[in-house]
Amino acid sequence: MALLFGIFCVLSFFWYYSKKIFYITYSFAMIMIAFFLVFGIALVQIHNPKNYSNHYSTHMHQKTYTESDIGIRFYIKERLKPSSYYTNYIVSIKFIDTTAAKGNLLLQIPRDSTLTVLDIGNTYTTFTTLKTIPKPLNPDQFNYAKYLNNQYIFDKITLQPHQLINNHKIEHSISYLADQIRKHIRSKLLSYNFTSKELSIINALLLGQRQNISQETFNEYRDAGAIHILAVSGLHVGILLLILNLILKPLDNFRKKGVIIKLILTITALWSFAVIAGLSPSVLRAATMFSFLAIGMQIRSKVSIYNSLFISIFILTCFSPLLLFSVGFQLSYLAVFSIVWIQPLLVRIYRPRFYISRKLWETFTVTIAAQLGLLPLTLFYFHQFPILFFVSNLMIIPFLGGILGLGIVTILLAAIDMLPKIIATVFGLSINTMNLIVSWVAQQEAFVIKNISFSSNLLITLYLVIVVSIIVFHNYNRSKLYWLVAPTLLLSLVFIYEEHISQHSEEFIIFHNYHNTTLGVLQNKQLQVYSKDSISTKTQNFLFGNYLIENRATLDTTIQLRNIYQYKKQTILVIDSSSIYSLKKFYPDIILLSNSPKIHLDRVIDSLHPKQIVADASNYKRHMDQWEISCEKREVPFHRIDKKGAFIIK
């Protein structure tokens, strides 16, 4: 719904400005909208690899490939950020058993192994079992399976190092070339006195690799509202475009030929940087977008910049239509769109006399325009807002162009062994200074608003308020202020309605928590937790973090687990390792099996006559398999939390 509203806003804006140039009838507009809807549906089907006979899944429909080992030959396509337990890669299949096949998989290798980092392009063979990427088993947790499915990755393999057979063959590609260039640059930079933290920031800032950034550093940049600095995307490519325009400005004196040469050199430099930065989806988006923006800038038409944005969106979605569901895609384009549309209005508010104050004001208005356009999406996806974002951006963004320029010079000279130590020292000092600024801003915790509950309904209505406000102030007229009444009132009503719903939301929930039975009762925006063992803060954030945010609730207390619970009109009996369940004239509605009790389930069913049996993740898998068979024979509903997820009673 939120995405459809965003597309509607984009189409509306495009229509508003196009009518100034072309005469568009309503019937023609409706025909074109219908055409592009059908075109979009066709694109999704065309790009879905499962619709083709060479996809690995079509060769495996006759066998249960999730239960038996198969031979797979693949090459490393992309390195992902490691998790707490695994190093992660995207691999591309070449053969399934002896059949040529295609398709991508998630490869996981335990982090405690002695295996070195796998290089992009290396080809391996293994015999293993394909597993479906699991969906979250607790409510409101991040759905990593859905995120990967939008990249057409549906299954995973988990391997120990000894299961990898190196074929000593390279799959040559642009990604392989880019990885080799980055490896060469990193090896050269190691010979200089950069700290590990500085090297991790350099890798992120210039080479597009964030895998080595510590969680502490990442959190600092996030809380300071400067996380966009670490991801090579529109900000970096946009700054590079401005630097190139400045350097190549003398070519404008040669009129038409100079403009053409300047445009060719600019686009070549942008894509060369994109290759070095790893050709990640965010870099490809930015390079495509700013290539068209470069064309628009040379035409020197504001409308051409808008058209360049829409053309680049169209081209990218033609190659990968599910990019529309990518958070990075939405944030990148919305940030640029907001700057182009909103920043000129903000600049007019105040006109400083001096050059430095004028540039600072321009930087400030760019930051405000981008944040204003991204605010609803930021709240919707990340549930927090750093109030001091403008401080970190004002202190860093004006100098980021110089840092990027110096960084490009540094890596180019280091690659050819001609980097003077003075340049390396100055560059390292600038990176360290940036880290200190971000760290200081992030430490002002009172100015970071966290755990903000923000639904898709609020997202839509807040964007409606912002869009109407900008339209009103674009051609300011006091009578137009009345236009703001309806969307502002709607926003208030949505907020009041959702607050009312959350205030009266009640449920009993059995969470998925390995080795520790955990129950929760939500009432009056308070979650009271019952747990067999104590729960660490990290585990609490994992289990309840998003759940509390979505329900506008707070964690009340954690109480020792009991054996009997009464919730509304239902009685819940917990049978744990003590295996005590025989009580006179006691017939629970629900039985929760916990910590692998040594019981004969058929006798329990005959004795207690439960309406529902639940087994949580604290039980042995073989016990749950037996219980599932018994319940199926006795026609008693059986809920396995390790398969079906948390059990909720409304």
Side-chain angles (χ1 to χ4, degrees), residues 98 163 182 265 433 462 487 544 554:
T98 57
Q163 294 178 277
R182 290 195 302 272
L265 291 176
T433 303
L462 182 54
F544 321 127
T554 55

Side-chain angles (χ1 to χ4, degrees), residues 305-316:
I305 296 177
Y306 289 122
N307 291 342
S308 299
L309 280 173
F310 287 109
I311 291 170
S312 64
I313 291 174
F314 178 75
I315 290 176
L316 284 172

